[in-house]
Amino acid sequence: MSTKAGLHWNTHRVHLPNALTVLRIVFVPLFVWFLAADGGTNWRWRLAAAVVFIAASITDRYDGHLARRWEVVSDFGKIADPIADKALIGAGLVVLSLQGRVWWWMTVVILARELLVTLLRFIVIRRGVIPAAKGGKIKTVVQTVAVGLFVLPLPAALDPVCLVVMAVAVVLTIWSAWAYFVAGAKLLRP
């Protein structure tokens, strides 16, 4: 095992966390296809979408955990992991809004925040990488739960509960953006 730039280069350890991130990105079209099938009215397709969504969400838990545990955190992982999260959550929100299940303004607020934070990460990349902050991680968990609740074929009587969880996700989305803008401003200072 050799060391380069502080990372331990062992083939399965270096590539497995990043492979899980890439797998999550690959799950996105399959998730969208299942969720959009029959306009989201067929419970079997919704259940299939939920299974894919849950599997993709589990990869989010383990890619970062393994990268930190094996000390193979990479710039690729720091950038691709949040992009994979945004693709999964964003695709779900757009389909759910097209189906009239999630209000468009919620989707727009969440997607605008994600776009702005991603843009900020790319603007400052030459000066450093903005890692995921604790608020961003909490936001991602709540967004995942909120989207997951809407994807699951639950009784319509639970829609108000789903909307409350989504509203909390929107508030956390706005709140967590602040930490990224502060970190970005620090990196951009001369």
Side-chain angles (χ1 to χ4, degrees):
M1 189 166 7
S2 65
T3 302
K4 181 179 178 183
L7 297 177
H8 300 285
W9 293 97
N10 181 316
T11 305
H12 81 279
R13 288 186 177 187
V14 169
H15 295 290
L16 183 59
N18 288 343
L20 289 173
T21 300
V22 171
L23 180 63
R24 189 160 65 260
I25 294 169
V26 170
F27 276 152
V28 172
L30 184 62
F31 165 62
V32 167
W33 187 61
F34 287 155
L35 185 58
D38 287 338
T41 58
N42 184 307
W43 71 269
R44 288 178 180 92
W45 287 116
R46 296 242 324 263
L47 187 59
V51 168
V52 172
F53 183 79
I54 291 166
S57 299
I58 288 170
T59 67
D60 184 35
R61 164 73 171 97
Y62 287 102
D63 60 358
H65 172 74
L66 292 175
R68 287 185 297 277
R69 182 175 174 201
W70 292 341
E71 298 177 1
V72 291
V73 174
S74 67
D75 285 345
F76 172 82
K78 288 179 185 177
I79 293 168
D81 180 66
I83 290 172
D85 295 340
K86 289 166 182 45
L88 183 66
I89 297 296
L93 287 168
V94 168
V95 173
L96 290 167
S97 290
L98 286 169
Q99 294 171 346
R101 302 208 64 225
V102 172
W103 292 325
W104 272 108
W105 72 264
M106 293 177 152
T107 297
V108 169
V109 166
I110 290 172
L111 293 181
R113 181 267 190 205
E114 302 303 348
L115 181 65
L116 289 172
V117 168
T118 301
L119 183 62
L120 175 64
R121 285 175 182 250
F122 283 112
I123 289 171
V124 303
I125 199 158
R126 290 181 185 238
R127 295 182 180 223
V129 175
I130 303 173
K134 186 175 182 177
K137 292 177 183 180
I138 294 168
K139 175 263 319 171
T140 299
V141 169
V142 176
Q143 283 180 354
T144 302
V145 170
V147 171
L149 287 173
F150 275 103
V151 170
L152 283 168
L154 300 174
L158 292 177
D159 282 353
V161 173
C162 298
L163 279 172
V164 167
V165 176
M166 186 61 74
V168 170
V170 170
V171 169
L172 289 173
T173 297
I174 295 167
W175 172 75
S176 67
W178 182 251
Y180 288 96
F181 293 124
V182 169
K186 286 180 183 176
L187 285 173
L188 291 172
R189 284 186 194 145

